[in-house]
Amino acid sequence: MRQMDIERPDVKTKKTKRRRMMIGIGVVVILVAVAALLRRMETRPHHEYVTLKHDARAIQALVVSPKLRDKASVVVLVHEVYGLTDWAKEMADELANEGFIVIAPDFLSGDGPHGGGFDDFPSVGDRVSAVQNLNSDVVLEDLDAAVDYGKKLVNANGKIAVVGFSWGGWKSFAFATHRKDLSAVFVFYGTGPDDVTTITAPVYGFYGGADGAVSGSVPATTDEMKASGKFYDPVTYKGADHGFMRVAGEFLNTNRDNKTARDEAYTRLVKLLKQMEPQDN
């Protein structure tokens, strides 16, 4: 009969130590991952939908709040012609992660086929058509309600900015002629109003170099703002298309300038929003 090999005690001890070490490393990795997850959960912005009312109208708005230690500036986000899309909500999240309280109204509230808002419309085309047909005066009133709500928030520091994209950029610029207590207005590829004489807030513009239909209007708007003694700081991003903030992240985007413009514009936006905040003495 063949004699079985007997494992030497020192070899067995080494294997046991190695096994224990691997288990220990695994436990540490798991604990680190759990701790990171908990930290992420603790710092994730808080989401809630609130109802803003004016006259007989009720409008739903997404409010995204960061985990605050100090008071924060409020950003009213004005969506594109596509409505309060996932992209608009993601942008609200990004700005909340920078430390701002974001209010994103659903301007389609109550206009859906069954009395709902954005989610009540069956298709993108239906939403676009509905947004294009919104009453301009009602949009201004909706924005008034959003700003009024933001000013009353316990964690708000009193600074209110409006950030709009495309259709929202156009409406934000128009709102600047209407509302006198805004800290700043940020217009992404939106045209200016016919009359700028009543604007009191500084206006910052973000335009695509390949978006001639909108960026072509910038020189005339610049002249009008200058003639009226208003602050207007437009930047045109070389080669970028209309909607570059959204288009840059889409799978079918082949224009590298959109990604460059998106990164540079976002950095500029956040920097300007932070400069707007009250400074400690």
Side-chain angles (χ1 to χ4, degrees):
M1 176 182 265
R2 188 167 134 191
Q3 185 176 5
M4 295 180 61
D5 292 332
I6 300 176
E7 189 174 35
R8 287 168 27 199
D10 58 333
V11 174
K12 187 174 182 180
T13 300
K14 288 180 180 179
K15 286 185 177 181
T16 301
K17 289 181 177 180
R18 190 181 300 114
R19 190 180 300 112
R20 289 175 178 172
M21 182 176 67
M22 295 303 295
I23 292 173
I25 292 174
V27 170
V28 170
V29 169
I30 292 172
L31 290 175
V32 170
V34 170
L37 179 61
L38 290 174
R39 283 196 301 272
R40 184 176 178 183
M41 292 177 65
E42 289 175 356
T43 57
R44 282 182 63 183
H46 173 70
H47 300 73
E48 66 174 324
Y49 280 90
V50 300
T51 301
L52 310 177
K53 295 183 179 180
H54 62 85
D55 301 321
R57 176 164 165 75
I59 178 172
Q60 297 299 305
L62 172 65
V63 179
V64 188
S65 304
K67 296 293 183 180
L68 296 171
R69 292 184 179 178
D70 300 312
K71 293 190 175 184
S73 299
V74 172
V75 173
V76 176
L77 188 150
V78 190
H79 59 62
E80 298 175 291
V81 74
Y82 303 108
L84 191 59
T85 60
D86 288 342
W87 177 83
K89 295 173 184 177
E90 289 166 4
M91 179 56 65
D93 269 2
E94 286 191 62
L95 292 174
N97 282 328
E98 300 289 351
F100 307 108
I101 302 169
V102 184
I103 303 172
D106 177 4
F107 293 94
L108 290 177
S109 297
D111 292 326
H114 304 97
F118 172 84
D119 293 326
D120 197 18
F121 288 84
S123 71
V124 173
D126 291 318
R127 295 185 189 112
V128 169
S129 179
V131 170
Q132 289 175 332
N133 286 295
L134 288 173
N135 183 292
S136 295
D137 291 336
V138 175
V139 171
L140 294 181
E141 292 169 357
D142 289 347
L143 285 168
D144 272 332
V147 171
D148 290 342
Y149 177 85
K151 292 184 71 172
K152 295 176 183 177
L153 291 173
V154 174
N155 290 327
N157 63 19
K159 297 293 183 178
I160 305 281
V162 179
V163 180
F165 303 90
S166 191
W167 177 86
W170 166 40
K171 292 301 181 182
S172 297
F173 217 148
F175 187 57
T177 70
H178 166 80
R179 187 85 187 202
K180 310 304 180 187
D181 56 352
L182 301 176
S183 302
V185 176
F186 300 89
V187 177
F188 283 81
Y189 27 88
T191 54
D194 293 331
D195 182 2
V196 301
T197 57
T198 57
I199 293 176
T200 57
V203 179
Y204 299 89
F206 303 73
Y207 303 94
D211 180 20
V214 175
S215 60
S217 69
V218 172
T221 301
T222 301
D223 291 342
E224 291 168 7
M225 291 286 280
K226 184 176 181 180
S228 298
K230 309 303 178 181
F231 181 92
Y232 179 51
D233 183 18
V235 173
T236 299
Y237 297 91
K238 181 180 177 182
D241 297 314
H242 185 84
F244 61 79
M245 291 296 287
R246 171 180 50 79
V247 174
E250 293 182 346
F251 178 74
L252 296 178
N253 173 52
T254 58
N255 184 353
R256 294 183 179 179
D257 289 332
N258 286 333
K259 177 65 166 59
T260 301
R262 200 273 182 202
D263 292 343
E264 292 179 0
Y266 182 76
T267 298
R268 178 183 177 225
L269 172 62
V270 172
K271 180 180 179 181
L272 291 170
L273 284 170
K274 289 186 180 296
Q275 288 177 356
M276 180 185 76
E277 295 180 330
Q279 301 297 314
D280 295 332
N281 295 326

